[in-house]
Each structure stands twice: as C-alpha cells, then as structure tokens.
Amino acid sequence: MTSRLVLVLGDLFIPDRAPDIPAKFKKLLVPGKIGQILCLGNLTDNTTYDFLRGIAPDLQIVKGDFDVEAPNLPPSKVVTHGSLRIGFTHGHTIIPPGDQDALLISARHMDVDVLLWGGTHRFEAYEVEGKFFVNPGSATGAMGTGWWGEGEDPVPSFCLMDVQGDVMQLYVYLLKTDANGVENVNVEKISFRKSSGLVPAAS
C-alpha cells in the first residue's frame, strides 16, 4: 500500500545559506515511508533534488524567489488528498509577505482547504474561516531576512501530513538546540478537520 504521508519542506538554500539538511532530519527521511513530497521552492542544488527523489519519486515543486536555474517551475500547485484540496506556493508572491488576509485571499482564489506557503523560514500553523494555513519553515534553518529577531537563530523544521478523509494530522519536526549545544528533534502534532476546523488535542 502506498504511504499516505506527505512531506512538506522548503527554503533549503543549499549550499548558499546552509551546508545540508541536518543529519538528524536525514535519518528520519528514508525511502518507503513517504508517498509524496511538496517542496515550497528554493531547492537550489541538484544533490538535494536527487536525495528527495530517492525518498519519494512523487516530488512536486513550486518556484521560489531564488530558483533562478528552474524558470519553468509554476508559482503554485494544488494536490488532493482524501477530501482535502491542498494548495502550495513559495510565498514571495503573497503581498504583503505572510499576511493573513493575503493568504486567505490566495486560498480562496486557489479554492483550497489547506494552503502551504514558505518564504519566512519560520514554522506557523493556524486556521482562519475554515481553512488551514501551514508554513513548514526552512528544513535547513537557512537564514532569511526580516523574520527573526536580533540574536534569534532560525529553527530548522519540516512537516509531515497524514490525511484520512476530511482530517489531516500534521506532524511538525523542529531541530532545537539546548543550553548545552545539544541538538534534539522535537515533534508536535496538530489536527485539522475540513468541516469544523482545528481538532482539539487529546489531553
């Protein structure tokens, strides 16, 4: 049976702003477990492209603002999983960038239940007017511009989606560094139901 898991990642910027996907993430991203990959742009090297294709041959990519060597990539795409229409875009075409109202307009224009966007290098997930918005952040923790406070470092992150019918389970993987400099992968889970929005987490 083909895996229902969908990997969502973006803003890799290898090797310009980061040397590679973190090793602790790579250990989790193995062939046979993921059915599809949605890349939200700025996949800027062939080695990482080949690595992702090795995880899941169904690799869907949209154009980021630094994908200059791939001019034919579309700015956005829509895929369907279960009863959810899922749109994804890099986000540099959202004006103002990351603006909630602008994202809602884009989701309505694309006629999607879920909108994935990138560009800020910071994980976000929230529900507005029955639609679910997810920014997976940067899988490499690549530096962005204007989205992080002074002295604040980007946290590498990616998401896995598991859709069954009208329910999405979103698993967020964040590579956090403790006070001793030790890196640990933290996983958070968020549930979204098409008909009624976010599902309360079990206590």
Side-chain angles (χ1 to χ4, degrees), residues 23-25 28 158 172-176 183-187:
K24 290 194 174 183
F25 279 177
L28 300 172
F158 68 86
V172 186
Y173 293 75
L174 301 122
L175 186 64
K176 295 190 175 180
E183 292 182 334
N184 293 292
V185 178
N186 292 4
V187 184

Side-chain angles (χ1 to χ4, degrees), residues 64-75:
D65 50 347
F66 285 85
D67 287 318
V68 293
E69 294 184 10
N72 296 324
L73 288 174

Side-chain angles (χ1 to χ4, degrees), residues 51-70:
F51 169 72
L52 294 176
R53 283 294 302 267
I55 296 170
D58 187 359
L59 173 58
Q60 303 287 328
I61 309 173
V62 293
K63 183 176 174 59
D65 50 347
F66 285 85
D67 287 318
V68 293
E69 294 184 10

